[in-house]
Amino acid sequence: MEAQNALETRVREPDMGLLKEEDAAMLTDLYQLTMMACYRRDNKDTTSTFDLFARNLPKNRHYLVAAGLEQAIAYLQKAKFSKEGIEYLRQQNLFDESFLSYLEGWRFKGEVYAVKEGTPVFQNEPIMRITAPACEVQLIESYLLSMINYQTTVASKASRIVESAKGRPVVDFALRRCHGPGAALLEARAAYIAGCAGTSNVAAGKRFGIPIKGTMAHALVMQYDDESEPFRVFADTFKNTKLPLVLLIDTYDTIKGAENAIGIAKELEKEGKRLAGVRLDSGDLTSLSKQVRQIFDSAGLDYLTIFASNDLNEWKIEKMLLDGAPIGAFGVGTEMGVSLDAPALSGVYKLAECTSRDGNLVERMKMSEGKDTLPGRKQVYRIYDANGRMVKDVIALENEQVQGEALLVKVMENGELCGPLPSLQETRTYCLEQVARIPEATRKDDRYLHMKLSDIGYGMQDMDILGERNVPYKVEVSKGLNKLIEELKAKHRR
Amino acid sequence: MEAQNALETRVREPDMGLLKEEDAAMLTDLYQLTMMACYRRDNKDTTSTFDLFARNLPKNRHYLVAAGLEQAIAYLQKAKFSKEGIEYLRQQNLFDESFLSYLEGWRFKGEVYAVKEGTPVFQNEPIMRITAPACEVQLIESYLLSMINYQTTVASKASRIVESAKGRPVVDFALRRCHGPGAALLEARAAYIAGCAGTSNVAAGKRFGIPIKGTMAHALVMQYDDESEPFRVFADTFKNTKLPLVLLIDTYDTIKGAENAIGIAKELEKEGKRLAGVRLDSGDLTSLSKQVRQIFDSAGLDYLTIFASNDLNEWKIEKMLLDGAPIGAFGVGTEMGVSLDAPALSGVYKLAECTSRDGNLVERMKMSEGKDTLPGRKQVYRIYDANGRMVKDVIALENEQVQGEALLVKVMENGELCGPLPSLQETRTYCLEQVARIPEATRKDDRYLHMKLSDIGYGMQDMDILGERNVPYKVEVSKGLNKLIEELKAKHRR
């Protein structure tokens, strides 16, 4: 009775809810464990090959940027079941002791082929190809998908945003709108790979060596009665550091804010220092940036940069620049952090080959309506033209002879890393180089021409007509693979 | 030279990319730190109050379900800077030693008011209200927003999905499409609060005590030549456990799969056991579920439940049930895990009150275009009718006398928890009770009536016309708060 009271009055400690490394193996769907129990029981824990790939390109995406591979590999190296984890499973009364004892020793010891992180990939192309006993290759599905799906989603969106800025720096501001703190850390990494210049996320800077950026928010301005006061405090605090002095000028009125910024710039000039620029975060950014530019230039402050933020995306940035907005850098948050127009990737993980009862490797394909898959152990070949521009990809069986660059490279053998991974900086450089090799017609969205018909009269409406269509990149299935598909379908019909 | 070679050949260990508790304080935007440095330097590290709230309801949401509060509180209790973190900041050459030394001792010691987790909330209503010295209350913004924004986003979507299932269990299958493993853990929690029956996510089951669910995937079926074989292995493996025996029957052909399932059910019956049901995961789920139901009933297996999954959302579920689909339970993944139609919440964190130079508390509001905020230390009052149904909310100043239930409750004082937090199960029960109190007209989407005009001829098209509009919930601003807003605006115009 006393023990019970003690239990009841003990206040449960609030849980931060961060995933711990020791629970990574448990971050899987229950059905992976139940299937594994079947394989163990039925002596079917035999060599199997799975492909991780996107079924199709999401809305508004003409290519994907593969990302998250380092985290996937680290997980494969480290995932194991803790004593606590095994005890939790025991309490579920689902598994027998023999299976739980197997799980205690579970480690991934398989072989992994993967495309290099930062590589542009397309629908149905394996990003990872994993071969291991069924129980090893099955458990890891859910974690790998969640990691690769998300970082690839962000990198693919960020690549479009970076391209829209036409060389102007794009800074990742997404932390607060990402799907929790864990997502925010990964997001900054994926955005950087795709070409962002830096991130506001300090933990991501510390963890991954990404340049960190940031100056002030509205809260600083609102702490004071007069806008010039916080501007001056900020300048005084950082004028002798390497922080670029950027003032946020839209808290009350952007034009008045610009005038206040001029005052600070002039004060700094007297000390031989320089204000770096201002940030606009609300209103019509094109119109305001033009007005502010004019005010600064008239004051002889042509060196000030105008930064813009406020729910920006690739279309808004492109439009602003087309309209001549004199903006020198962009901060992008929500749209990139959750990939707002296409927040989920149809990344899947499918059995391509397994071991039959007689011990032979046999190819497998799924034939569910609208969900069929490519069978066999595959390789992706990329073909370039004489200028190094990508022409097409061919998905082939591994043992076929196909010309082109093989994108899948062995990264793990017997559960061990085959060689050093590139640094994040190297991956970013590689990504920018590779994205530039995608044909222009594939990289770009459909273009519309605006027809001004209202001038003609007769009540006609202005309209947009399709001027230029995006040209999807060509992904072919090889002869050998096509033949195998036909054979398997015929066999299944029998 | 040798030292350099040693450095170069040392293989960098791949990074799992999981956020560690010791880095939680660093998971903030750089501008929080730069503003804090200003406050410290300018003796402005004085009492301030911030509100965390959603500016508006996202697309297709008529209410939000507040979630993530336990994780937010745990963060406030535990966040601090590690030695490693301070050293990283020192290397950035942005901050002086006096500020770094302040950060070393940084802990949150403030006061927190919050709505109970699981409470329905609306636009502009503070979910949390935090009072502390400027530097404490500023640092925490980014982390809190990312945590509350995401769990609230998921709980709000899940609440709609659970409602659409009209009492049938909804199981969270979202892990693989969540924004990384960290998001997946939080997602399962938020979905459970909103009424999901369980999750496929084993780590979430272990961590939060959520019931775990799952049976088999296509991979199991594809490992065998004949579909009945894996069905039988599965039944044999689990028939003596508490796992409900559910067979996935759509790998090759759903109707053939149903017939194979009947074979297994009959075999189990001979042993005095029962198959629980089957899962459909592709094709026209309404039509297939009717056919499969018919096949089962004809075989005397009316006890078998049909589970459905495959990119389901609240509209698809509602439509299937309206069309009479005999589905007994739903698995929902992507749509819930990323809140596909509205993946980001416009949750913000705004200064409402601060301390003036003379030491008095003064109310603050932001007046940026389209981004103005409510000033002062506020409370939200909820008014119910005689049946306990919600009528309206009033956002008022804390010291005003307003009838109604005060939603903001003190949960932390001097950085310490005021009392025990509810269990997750209690929060879930509370949430379901509260959502049921939202007026039906507010909970429901717009209804369309279908007009069959094509029968009339004359080339007329069938059309949907608006039959019934959603009635937005009424959120009022109190007299006292309105008066304060007018005063502050007038003062600013002067």
Side-chain angles (χ1 to χ4, degrees):
Chain A
M1 190 62 187
E2 264 176 46
Q4 200 192 329
N5 281 348
L7 204 71
E8 278 172 7
T9 53
R10 192 183 52 136
V11 176
R12 187 173 59 91
E13 200 185 341
D15 181 351
M16 284 183 74
L18 300 180
L19 181 65
K20 293 171 186 161
E21 186 178 315
E22 73 228 45
D23 284 335
M26 302 280 284
L27 197 90
T28 192
D29 292 297
L30 178 60
Y31 72 23
Q32 314 288 12
L33 295 175
T34 54
M35 289 191 287
M36 287 161 68
C38 292
Y39 299 145
R40 295 298 300 175
R41 187 173 192 281
D42 197 37
N43 294 314
K44 278 286 286 180
D45 190 8
T46 45
T47 304
S48 307
T49 294
F50 277 72
D51 295 322
L52 191 157
F53 61 97
R55 271 190 209 288
N56 39 54
L57 299 178
K59 192 167 66 166
N60 303 323
R61 301 292 179 277
H62 314 307
Y63 61 94
L64 299 172
V65 172
L69 290 155
E70 177 174 334
Q71 283 65 53
I73 288 166
Y75 159 79
L76 293 176
Q77 288 182 314
K78 290 170 190 162
K80 61 180 175 184
F81 288 85
S82 66
K83 279 216 164 60
E84 213 186 61
I86 297 290
E87 189 47 40
Y88 166 77
L89 290 175
R90 181 173 287 120
Q91 288 163 8
Q92 305 308 305
N93 294 317
L94 299 176
F95 304 108
D96 62 24
E97 284 302 317
S98 139
F99 182 67
L100 292 174
S101 148
Y102 161 77
L103 285 185
E104 274 185 64
W106 186 97
R107 298 302 296 257
F108 177 77
K109 293 285 174 203
E111 173 193 87
V112 179
Y113 278 75
V115 303
K116 276 181 73 173
E117 210 169 347
T119 301
V121 294
F122 300 88
Q123 67 283 357
N124 294 320
E125 297 182 347
I127 295 172
M128 299 181 82
R129 187 190 89 194
I130 306 182
T131 303
C135 283
E136 287 178 29
V137 81
Q138 192 73 66
L139 178 79
I140 61 181
E141 170 178 13
S142 320
Y143 192 102
L144 289 186
L145 279 173
S146 136
M147 184 58 82
I148 301 286
N149 275 337
Y150 180 51
Q151 287 202 53
T152 299
T153 294
V154 170
S156 304
K157 177 73 171 177
S159 180
R160 289 171 54 84
I161 294 170
V162 166
E163 178 138 341
S164 74
K166 304 202 192 318
R168 292 164 189 80
V170 173
V171 178
D172 162 41
F173 280 2
L175 197 173
R176 65 191 56 198
R177 299 286 166 76
C178 284
H179 284 181
L185 195 62
L186 301 173
E187 190 272 344
R189 181 180 185 277
Y192 186 64
I193 287 175
C196 280
T199 180
S200 66
N201 184 332
V202 181
K206 170 173 179 279
R207 186 67 166 269
F208 300 120
I210 303 169
I212 52 173
K213 313 271 182 186
T215 54
M216 66 169 68
H218 298 106
L220 180 75
V221 178
M222 290 165 71
Q223 285 275 356
Y224 294 82
D225 285 318
D226 182 277
E227 197 181 42
S228 288
E229 209 181 339
F231 285 2
R232 194 167 293 118
V233 171
F234 178 77
D236 284 348
T237 305
F238 291 104
K239 64 189 175 190
N240 296 319
T241 74
K242 63 163 209 173
L243 192 79
L245 300 177
V246 177
L247 305 173
L248 178 61
I249 61 171
D250 75 325
T251 306
Y252 302 109
D253 179 296
T254 301
I255 303 305
K256 280 188 204 161
E259 283 154 9
N260 288 332
I262 290 175
I264 304 297
K266 297 288 184 189
E267 288 171 23
L268 283 165
E269 282 184 355
K270 281 182 201 148
E271 301 178 55
K273 314 254 179 214
R274 279 194 162 186
L275 192 67
V278 297
R279 179 160 70 97
L280 312 183
D281 188 44
S282 56
D284 177 340
L285 296 173
T286 299
S287 158
L288 287 170
S289 63
K290 287 180 181 178
Q291 293 176 63
V292 168
R293 182 77 273 158
Q294 172 68 36
I295 292 169
F296 287 164
D297 290 353
S298 303
L301 298 169
D302 58 348
Y303 60 81
L304 291 185
T305 299
I306 299 174
F307 293 78
S309 55
N310 189 21
D311 288 340
L312 297 184
N313 60 29
E314 62 271 45
W315 299 288
K316 290 182 190 172
I317 291 174
E318 183 165 10
K319 181 75 166 67
M320 287 192 288
L321 294 179
L322 276 174
D323 292 345
I327 295 171
F330 299 93
V332 179
T334 311
E335 290 261 358
M336 186 160 71
V338 302
S339 183
L340 197 72
D341 58 325
L345 185 67
S346 61
V348 293
Y349 182 83
K350 294 295 167 188
L351 183 66
E353 188 183 78
C354 63
T355 308
S356 68
R357 284 285 175 205
D358 54 19
N360 293 321
L361 291 174
V362 288
E363 298 88 352
R364 291 294 193 209
M365 68 179 288
K366 190 174 156 190
M367 298 173 197
S368 311
E369 208 177 319
K371 289 186 169 184
D372 51 324
T373 59
L374 297 173
R377 217 179 278 210
K378 295 175 291 292
Q379 177 58 275
V380 182
Y381 296 92
R382 180 153 292 171
I383 289 116
Y384 301 93
D385 67 15
N387 302 316
R389 186 71 43 132
M390 289 160 52
V391 174
K392 66 173 181 180
D393 291 356
V394 180
I395 307 177
L397 291 169
E398 191 180 37
N399 53 15
E400 279 183 279
Q401 293 298 318
V402 178
Q403 292 297 316
E405 184 193 9
L407 296 186
L408 290 166
V409 178
K410 195 194 280 188
V411 291
M412 289 182 96
E413 191 164 356
N414 301 320
E416 308 223 343
L417 202 56
C418 294
L421 293 175
S423 71
L424 190 63
Q425 186 59 56
E426 286 163 348
T427 297
R428 181 176 183 273
T429 303
Y430 169 77
C431 175
L432 289 170
E433 284 167 6
Q434 296 307 309
V435 168
R437 299 174 82 175
I438 302 172
E440 172 109 358
T442 290
R443 279 211 311 273
K444 299 289 181 181
D445 291 338
D446 290 338
R447 300 274 156 192
Y448 291 87
L449 299 175
H450 188 66
M451 304 291 284
K452 191 115 183 106
L453 299 173
S454 50
D455 293 346
I456 309 173
Y458 302 106
M460 291 180 83
Q461 299 281 307
D462 291 345
M463 60 187 292
D464 292 323
I465 60 162
L466 206 58
E468 204 180 317
R469 272 192 196 282
N470 165 269
V471 180
Y473 187 69
K474 197 181 283 181
V475 178
E476 293 180 357
V477 170
S478 71
K479 275 188 190 167
L481 183 50
N482 259 324
K483 185 159 163 278
L484 174 63
I485 293 168
E486 289 314 313
E487 283 169 13
L488 290 175
K489 282 188 177 166
K491 192 172 157 194
H492 184 258
R493 274 193 296 271
R494 253 179 279 134
Chain B
M1 191 63 189
E2 265 176 46
Q4 200 192 329
N5 280 348
L7 204 71
E8 278 172 7
T9 53
R10 193 183 52 137
V11 176
R12 187 172 60 90
E13 201 185 341
D15 181 351
M16 284 184 73
L18 300 180
L19 182 65
K20 293 171 185 159
E21 186 178 314
E22 73 229 45
D23 285 335
M26 302 280 284
L27 197 91
T28 191
D29 292 297
L30 178 60
Y31 72 23
Q32 314 288 10
L33 295 175
T34 55
M35 290 191 287
M36 287 162 68
C38 292
Y39 299 145
R40 295 298 299 175
R41 187 173 192 280
D42 197 38
N43 294 314
K44 278 287 286 181
D45 190 8
T46 45
T47 304
S48 307
T49 294
F50 278 72
D51 295 322
L52 191 157
F53 61 97
R55 272 190 209 288
N56 38 54
L57 299 178
K59 193 167 66 166
N60 303 323
R61 301 293 178 277
H62 314 306
Y63 61 94
L64 298 172
V65 173
L69 290 155
E70 177 174 333
Q71 283 65 52
I73 288 166
Y75 159 79
L76 293 176
Q77 289 182 313
K78 289 169 192 163
K80 62 180 175 183
F81 288 85
S82 66
K83 278 215 165 60
E84 214 186 60
I86 297 290
E87 189 46 40
Y88 167 77
L89 290 175
R90 180 173 288 121
Q91 288 163 7
Q92 305 307 305
N93 294 317
L94 299 175
F95 305 108
D96 62 24
E97 283 303 316
S98 138
F99 181 67
L100 292 174
S101 148
Y102 160 77
L103 285 185
E104 273 184 64
W106 186 97
R107 297 304 296 257
F108 178 77
K109 293 286 174 202
E111 174 193 87
V112 179
Y113 278 75
V115 303
K116 276 181 73 173
E117 212 170 346
T119 302
V121 294
F122 300 88
Q123 67 283 357
N124 294 320
E125 296 182 347
I127 295 173
M128 299 181 83
R129 187 189 89 195
I130 306 182
T131 302
C135 283
E136 287 177 30
V137 81
Q138 192 73 67
L139 178 79
I140 61 181
E141 170 177 13
S142 320
Y143 193 102
L144 289 185
L145 279 173
S146 134
M147 184 58 82
I148 301 286
N149 274 338
Y150 180 50
Q151 287 202 52
T152 299
T153 294
V154 170
S156 304
K157 177 73 171 177
S159 180
R160 290 171 54 84
I161 294 170
V162 166
E163 178 138 341
S164 73
K166 304 203 191 319
R168 292 163 189 81
V170 173
V171 178
D172 162 40
F173 280 1
L175 197 174
R176 65 191 56 199
R177 299 286 166 77
C178 283
H179 284 180
L185 194 63
L186 301 173
E187 190 272 343
R189 180 180 186 276
Y192 186 64
I193 287 175
C196 280
T199 180
S200 65
N201 184 333
V202 181
K206 169 173 179 280
R207 185 66 166 268
F208 301 121
I210 303 169
I212 52 174
K213 313 272 182 186
T215 54
M216 66 168 68
H218 298 106
L220 180 75
V221 178
M222 290 165 72
Q223 285 276 356
Y224 294 82
D225 286 318
D226 182 277
E227 197 180 41
S228 288
E229 209 181 339
F231 285 1
R232 193 167 294 117
V233 171
F234 179 78
D236 284 348
T237 306
F238 291 105
K239 64 189 175 189
N240 295 320
T241 73
K242 63 163 209 174
L243 192 79
L245 300 177
V246 178
L247 305 173
L248 177 61
I249 61 172
D250 75 325
T251 306
Y252 302 110
D253 179 297
T254 301
I255 303 305
K256 280 189 203 159
E259 283 154 10
N260 288 333
I262 289 175
I264 304 296
K266 297 287 184 191
E267 288 171 23
L268 284 165
E269 281 184 355
K270 282 182 199 146
E271 302 179 54
K273 314 255 180 213
R274 279 195 162 185
L275 192 66
V278 297
R279 178 159 71 96
L280 312 183
D281 188 43
S282 56
D284 177 341
L285 296 172
T286 299
S287 158
L288 287 170
S289 64
K290 287 180 181 178
Q291 293 175 64
V292 169
R293 181 78 273 157
Q294 172 68 35
I295 292 169
F296 287 163
D297 290 353
S298 303
L301 298 169
D302 58 349
Y303 60 82
L304 291 185
T305 300
I306 299 174
F307 293 78
S309 55
N310 189 20
D311 288 341
L312 296 183
N313 61 29
E314 62 270 45
W315 300 288
K316 290 183 190 172
I317 292 174
E318 183 165 10
K319 181 73 166 66
M320 287 192 288
L321 294 179
L322 276 174
D323 291 344
I327 295 171
F330 299 93
V332 180
T334 312
E335 290 262 358
M336 187 160 71
V338 303
S339 183
L340 197 71
D341 59 325
L345 185 66
S346 61
V348 293
Y349 181 83
K350 293 295 166 188
L351 182 67
E353 189 183 77
C354 63
T355 308
S356 68
R357 284 286 174 204
D358 54 19
N360 292 321
L361 291 174
V362 288
E363 299 89 352
R364 291 294 192 208
M365 68 180 288
K366 189 175 156 188
M367 298 173 197
S368 311
E369 209 178 318
K371 288 186 169 182
D372 51 323
T373 59
L374 296 174
R377 218 179 277 212
K378 295 174 291 292
Q379 178 57 275
V380 181
Y381 296 93
R382 180 153 292 172
I383 290 115
Y384 301 92
D385 68 15
N387 302 318
R389 185 70 44 132
M390 289 160 51
V391 174
K392 66 172 181 181
D393 291 356
V394 180
I395 307 177
L397 291 169
E398 191 180 37
N399 53 15
E400 280 184 278
Q401 293 297 318
V402 178
Q403 292 296 317
E405 183 192 9
L407 296 186
L408 290 166
V409 179
K410 195 195 282 188
V411 290
M412 289 182 95
E413 192 165 356
N414 301 321
E416 307 223 343
L417 202 56
C418 294
L421 293 175
S423 70
L424 191 63
Q425 187 59 56
E426 286 163 349
T427 297
R428 180 177 183 273
T429 303
Y430 168 77
C431 175
L432 289 170
E433 284 167 6
Q434 296 307 309
V435 168
R437 298 174 82 176
I438 302 172
E440 172 109 357
T442 290
R443 278 211 311 273
K444 299 288 182 183
D445 291 337
D446 291 338
R447 300 274 156 194
Y448 290 86
L449 299 175
H450 189 67
M451 305 291 284
K452 190 116 182 103
L453 298 173
S454 50
D455 292 347
I456 308 174
Y458 301 107
M460 290 181 82
Q461 298 282 307
D462 292 346
M463 60 186 291
D464 292 324
I465 59 163
L466 205 59
E468 203 180 317
R469 272 192 195 283
N470 165 268
V471 180
Y473 187 69
K474 196 181 284 181
V475 178
E476 292 180 357
V477 170
S478 72
K479 275 188 191 166
L481 183 49
N482 259 325
K483 186 158 162 280
L484 175 63
I485 293 169
E486 289 314 314
E487 283 169 12
L488 290 176
K489 282 189 176 167
K491 194 171 155 194
H492 184 257
R493 275 192 296 270
R494 254 180 277 133

